[in-house]
Amino acid sequence: PSLTTSLQTYKQQIYTKMLSTKSCTRMTARKAVSKTTTRQTVTRAAFDVKKAAATTALSFAVAFGANAATVKLGADGGGLAFVPSTVTIKKGESVTWVNNAAYPHNVVFDEDAVPAGINADKLSHEDLLNGPGDSVSTKFDTPGTYEYYCEPHQGAGMQGKVVVE
């Protein structure tokens, strides 16, 4: 069902419930329904705009070569995984991680599983990504293997690897 259909159904349910309690007039019920659904419509519309903007920004980044690889945070089916779990890029290229499903997620590099002399904390994105399409990117200038994990889902085995040639 469309957003408009869902809101109309919701409005009718609220209106009917208010009238059935006989605690208000039809006019009071209409005003209450109007205020409630307007606020929800604005909230949902703002969420849809944010999601569309994030998707558009990611599309431009991919189209213009801003990154060499994109990794989904959460599998399409809702699994706790980085997809793909391993990416291979060239020195100087970037990887972008995009919130997909089962969030919140973050990207934390393991200090014991990065090339010698690399500061894992500087590569990591420890702040949680909470919304669909939220993304972070990291540029890799030193060849080697970089292992990372999602802190909230590390116990579930959500880990990945970047190989820089």
Side-chain angles (χ1 to χ4, degrees), residues 55-89:
T55 302
T56 302
L58 178 61
S59 296
F60 278 116
V62 171
F64 293 105
N67 67 321
T70 300
V71 177
K72 291 180 183 179
L73 299 166
D76 289 339
L80 297 174
F82 291 102
V83 180
S85 61
T86 301
V87 294
T88 301
I89 62 171

Coordinates of all heavy atoms in Angstrom, one line a residue, residues 55-89:
T55 N 21.3 8.1 -1.0 CA 21.4 7.2 -2.2 C 21.9 7.9 -3.4 O 22.8 7.4 -4.1 CB 20.0 6.6 -2.5 OG1 19.5 5.9 -1.4 CG2 20.1 5.6 -3.7
T56 N 21.5 9.1 -3.6 CA 21.9 9.9 -4.7 C 23.4 10.3 -4.6 O 24.2 10.2 -5.5 CB 21.1 11.2 -4.9 OG1 19.8 10.9 -5.0 CG2 21.6 12.1 -6.0
A57 N 23.8 10.7 -3.4 CA 25.2 11.0 -3.1 C 26.1 9.8 -3.4 O 27.2 9.9 -4.0 CB 25.4 11.5 -1.7
L58 N 25.7 8.6 -2.9 CA 26.4 7.4 -3.1 C 26.5 7.1 -4.6 O 27.6 6.7 -5.1 CB 25.8 6.2 -2.4 CG 26.5 4.9 -2.6 CD1 28.0 5.0 -2.1 CD2 25.8 3.8 -1.8
S59 N 25.4 7.3 -5.3 CA 25.4 7.0 -6.8 C 26.5 7.9 -7.5 O 27.2 7.4 -8.4 CB 24.0 7.2 -7.4 OG 23.1 6.3 -6.8
F60 N 26.5 9.2 -7.1 CA 27.5 10.1 -7.8 C 28.9 9.7 -7.4 O 29.8 9.7 -8.3 CB 27.2 11.5 -7.3 CG 26.1 12.2 -8.1 CD1 25.0 12.6 -7.5 CD2 26.3 12.4 -9.5 CE1 24.0 13.2 -8.3 CE2 25.3 13.0 -10.2 CZ 24.1 13.4 -9.6
A61 N 29.1 9.3 -6.2 CA 30.5 8.9 -5.8 C 30.9 7.7 -6.5 O 32.1 7.6 -7.0 CB 30.5 8.6 -4.3
V62 N 30.0 6.7 -6.7 CA 30.4 5.5 -7.5 C 30.6 5.9 -9.0 O 31.6 5.4 -9.6 CB 29.3 4.4 -7.3 CG1 29.6 3.3 -8.3 CG2 29.3 3.9 -5.9
A63 N 29.7 6.7 -9.5 CA 29.7 7.0 -10.9 C 31.0 7.8 -11.3 O 31.5 7.6 -12.4 CB 28.5 7.8 -11.3
F64 N 31.5 8.6 -10.4 CA 32.6 9.4 -10.7 C 33.9 8.9 -10.2 O 34.9 9.6 -10.1 CB 32.4 10.9 -10.3 CG 31.3 11.5 -11.1 CD1 30.0 11.8 -10.6 CD2 31.5 11.9 -12.4 CE1 29.0 12.3 -11.3 CE2 30.5 12.5 -13.2 CZ 29.3 12.7 -12.6
G65 N 33.9 7.7 -9.7 CA 35.2 7.0 -9.3 C 35.7 7.5 -8.0 O 36.9 7.4 -7.8
A66 N 34.9 8.0 -7.1 CA 35.4 8.5 -5.8 C 35.9 7.3 -4.9 O 36.6 7.5 -4.0 CB 34.3 9.3 -5.1
N67 N 35.4 6.1 -5.2 CA 35.8 5.0 -4.5 C 36.0 3.8 -5.4 O 35.5 3.7 -6.5 CB 34.8 4.7 -3.3 CG 33.5 4.2 -3.9 OD1 33.0 4.7 -4.9 ND2 32.9 3.2 -3.2
A68 N 36.8 2.9 -4.9 CA 37.1 1.7 -5.7 C 36.2 0.5 -5.4 O 36.0 -0.4 -6.2 CB 38.6 1.3 -5.5
A69 N 35.7 0.5 -4.2 CA 34.8 -0.6 -3.7 C 33.7 0.0 -2.8 O 34.0 0.9 -2.0 CB 35.6 -1.6 -3.0
T70 N 32.6 -0.7 -2.8 CA 31.5 -0.3 -1.9 C 31.1 -1.6 -1.2 O 30.9 -2.7 -1.8 CB 30.2 0.2 -2.7 OG1 30.6 1.4 -3.4 CG2 29.1 0.5 -1.7
V71 N 31.0 -1.5 0.1 CA 30.7 -2.6 1.0 C 29.4 -2.3 1.7 O 29.2 -1.3 2.3 CB 31.8 -2.9 2.0 CG1 31.4 -4.0 3.0 CG2 33.1 -3.2 1.3
K72 N 28.4 -3.2 1.6 CA 27.1 -3.1 2.3 C 27.3 -3.5 3.8 O 27.9 -4.5 4.1 CB 26.0 -4.0 1.7 CG 25.6 -3.5 0.3 CD 24.5 -4.5 -0.2 CE 24.1 -4.2 -1.6 NZ 23.0 -5.2 -2.0
L73 N 26.7 -2.7 4.7 CA 26.7 -3.0 6.1 C 25.4 -3.7 6.4 O 24.3 -3.1 6.4 CB 26.8 -1.7 6.9 CG 28.1 -0.9 6.7 CD1 28.0 0.4 7.3 CD2 29.3 -1.7 7.4
G74 N 25.4 -5.0 6.4 CA 24.2 -5.8 6.6 C 23.8 -6.4 5.2 O 23.8 -5.7 4.2
A75 N 23.5 -7.7 5.2 CA 23.1 -8.4 4.0 C 21.7 -8.0 3.6 O 20.9 -7.6 4.5 CB 23.2 -9.9 4.2
D76 N 21.4 -8.1 2.3 CA 20.0 -7.8 1.9 C 18.9 -8.5 2.6 O 17.9 -7.9 2.9 CB 19.9 -8.1 0.4 CG 20.7 -7.1 -0.5 OD1 21.0 -6.0 0.0 OD2 21.0 -7.4 -1.6
G77 N 19.2 -9.7 3.0 CA 18.2 -10.5 3.8 C 18.2 -10.2 5.3 O 17.5 -10.8 6.0
G78 N 19.0 -9.2 5.7 CA 19.0 -8.8 7.1 C 20.1 -9.5 7.9 O 20.2 -9.2 9.1
G79 N 21.0 -10.3 7.3 CA 22.1 -10.9 8.0 C 23.1 -9.9 8.5 O 23.3 -8.9 7.9
L80 N 23.8 -10.3 9.5 CA 24.8 -9.5 10.1 C 26.2 -9.8 9.4 O 26.9 -10.7 9.8 CB 25.0 -9.7 11.6 CG 23.7 -9.3 12.4 CD1 23.9 -9.7 13.9 CD2 23.5 -7.8 12.3
A81 N 26.4 -9.1 8.3 CA 27.6 -9.4 7.5 C 28.0 -8.1 6.7 O 27.1 -7.3 6.4 CB 27.3 -10.5 6.5
F82 N 29.3 -8.0 6.3 CA 29.7 -7.1 5.4 C 29.6 -7.7 4.0 O 30.1 -8.9 3.9 CB 31.2 -6.7 5.6 CG 31.4 -5.9 6.9 CD1 31.9 -6.5 8.1 CD2 31.1 -4.5 6.9 CE1 32.0 -5.8 9.2 CE2 31.3 -3.8 8.1 CZ 31.8 -4.4 9.3
V83 N 29.1 -7.1 3.0 CA 28.9 -7.7 1.7 C 29.5 -6.8 0.6 O 29.0 -5.7 0.5 CB 27.4 -7.9 1.4 CG1 27.2 -8.5 0.0 CG2 26.7 -8.8 2.5
P84 N 30.6 -7.2 0.0 CA 31.3 -8.5 0.2 C 32.2 -8.4 1.4 O 32.5 -7.3 1.9 CB 32.1 -8.6 -1.1 CG 32.4 -7.2 -1.5 CD 31.1 -6.4 -1.1
S85 N 32.5 -9.6 1.9 CA 33.3 -9.6 3.1 C 34.8 -9.2 2.9 O 35.5 -8.8 3.8 CB 33.2 -11.0 3.8 OG 33.7 -12.0 3.0
T86 N 35.3 -9.4 1.7 CA 36.6 -9.0 1.3 C 36.6 -8.2 0.0 O 35.9 -8.6 -1.0 CB 37.5 -10.3 1.1 OG1 37.5 -11.1 2.3 CG2 38.9 -9.9 0.7
V87 N 37.3 -7.1 0.0 CA 37.5 -6.3 -1.2 C 39.0 -6.1 -1.5 O 39.8 -6.0 -0.6 CB 36.8 -5.0 -1.2 CG1 35.2 -5.1 -1.1 CG2 37.2 -4.1 0.0
T88 N 39.3 -6.1 -2.8 CA 40.7 -5.8 -3.2 C 40.7 -4.5 -4.0 O 40.0 -4.4 -4.9 CB 41.2 -7.0 -4.0 OG1 41.1 -8.2 -3.2 CG2 42.7 -6.7 -4.4
I89 N 41.6 -3.6 -3.6 CA 41.7 -2.3 -4.2 C 43.2 -2.0 -4.5 O 44.1 -2.7 -4.0 CB 41.1 -1.2 -3.4 CG1 41.8 -1.0 -2.0 CG2 39.6 -1.4 -3.2 CD1 41.4 0.2 -1.2

